[in-house]
């Protein structure tokens, strides 16, 4: 496979590849992402393979609008406060998923991680593709990559397209689990525990 580097104005080309179940790489406001369309077994399988990721580890969904979260998950009061304060932004929220979502797309978990990126290119891509499953662009267990050249070194010949650019933050998103009736911070990024606790008061 020949991997090409494209500018952000190649949005339609990237969206067509997503529609064709391909894995694409693009910069976000956290770290570089690898993404596929949501709802395709073939696409998700390809993403797990290219990243060498354990099938037991779920991959978060990216969507473009906060109001769409309730289509896919149950939103409690804590979640509403976090969504209002931090989305779009550098946070992933874990919620109980709606029953229609195939277990294959959540690694057999009854929860789903959802993120709304604060990045104009990624939001435009999501408007064209619909929801995507997106994970950091790296081989599992290795450091997250943050620019197109680093991604090209690792994924050249393995994916069809990499969008040029560099991620703004160099940290993956903060992950907050509100699915169990309490708030649990699973990973800290640029959004701090103190900021989260402040909005939950």
């Amino acid at each position: 496979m020949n991997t090409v580097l494209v500018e952000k104005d190649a949005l339609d080309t990237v969206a067509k590849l997503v529609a064709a179940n391909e894995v694409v790489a693009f910069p976000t406001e956290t770290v570089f992402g690898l993404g596929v369309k949501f709802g395709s077994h073939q696409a998700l399988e390809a993403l797990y393979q290219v990243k060498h990721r354990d099938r037991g580890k779920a991959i978060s969904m990216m969507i473009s609008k906060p109001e769409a979260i309730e289509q896919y998950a149950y939103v409690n009061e804590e979640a509403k406060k976090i969504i209002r304060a931090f989305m779009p932004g550098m946070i992933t929220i874990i919620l109980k998923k709606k029953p229609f979502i195939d277990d294959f797309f959540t690694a057999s978990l009854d929860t789903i991680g959802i993120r709304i990126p604060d990045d104009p290119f990624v939001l435009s891509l999501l408007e064209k593709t619909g929801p995507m499953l997106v994970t950091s662009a790296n081989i599992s267990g290795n450091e997250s990559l943050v620019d197109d050249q680093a991604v090209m070194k690792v994924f050249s010949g393995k994916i069809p397209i990499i969008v040029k650019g560099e991620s703004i933050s160099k940290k993956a998103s903060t992950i907050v689990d509100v699915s169990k009736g309490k708030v649990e911070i699973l990973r800290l990024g640029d959004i701090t525990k103190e900021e989260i606790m402040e909005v939950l008061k």
Side-chain angles (χ1 to χ4, degrees):
M1 181 185 291
N2 182 38
T3 303
V4 295
L5 273 170
V6 297
E7 300 289 348
K8 288 182 177 175
D9 60 9
L11 187 63
D12 287 339
T13 303
V14 181
K16 279 179 188 161
L17 286 165
V18 173
N21 298 322
E22 297 284 0
V23 180
V24 300
F26 47 85
T28 78
E29 86 280 25
T30 57
V31 295
F32 231 89
L34 285 178
V36 295
K37 77 176 180 185
F38 175 75
S40 164
H41 284 241
Q42 178 190 335
L44 180 53
E45 186 59 35
L47 183 54
Y48 273 117
Q49 281 185 3
V50 79
K51 191 177 160 81
H52 301 170
R53 186 175 173 92
D54 175 357
R55 301 296 192 284
K57 289 185 177 174
I59 291 172
S60 294
M61 173 194 274
M62 264 192 192
I63 57 177
S64 61
K65 292 186 176 73
E67 55 270 27
I69 292 174
E70 294 197 48
Q71 290 177 36
Y72 305 98
Y74 297 102
V75 179
N76 57 28
E77 284 310 308
E78 285 88 357
K80 283 177 184 171
K81 289 176 183 176
I82 290 167
I83 291 162
R84 274 197 300 269
F86 301 114
M87 289 181 148
M90 296 185 275
I91 197 161
T92 300
I93 191 165
I94 295 176
L95 301 159
K96 287 271 185 202
K97 71 175 184 182
K98 292 277 175 87
F100 77 89
I101 295 177
D102 187 330
D103 283 350
F104 182 77
F105 300 114
T106 58
S108 297
L109 299 171
D110 65 352
T111 55
I112 188 164
I114 297 178
R115 182 161 115 74
I116 301 166
D118 189 12
D119 180 282
F121 171 80
V122 187
L123 289 171
S124 297
L125 179 61
L126 291 165
E127 287 291 328
K128 285 185 175 289
T129 62
M132 290 178 67
L133 293 172
V134 181
T135 180
S136 54
N138 60 332
I139 301 299
S140 280
N142 293 356
E143 271 187 35
S144 296
L145 305 173
V146 296
D147 66 77
D148 55 62
Q149 293 304 312
V151 175
M152 184 60 111
K153 276 183 192 163
V154 174
F155 292 103
S156 180
K158 297 174 185 170
I159 60 175
I161 205 162
I162 298 167
V163 179
K164 288 182 186 176
E166 185 170 346
S167 298
I168 298 161
S169 166
K170 305 300 182 234
K171 292 181 190 171
S173 64
T174 296
I175 301 177
V176 185
D177 187 342
V178 295
S179 68
K180 302 181 185 81
K182 60 179 193 231
V183 177
E184 201 176 344
I185 298 169
L186 305 184
R187 181 176 73 196
L188 277 172
D190 282 338
I191 293 172
T192 66
K193 181 179 181 179
E194 290 73 25
E195 288 173 304
I196 292 163
M197 293 306 160
E198 184 63 31
V199 305
L200 292 172
K201 277 181 182 174

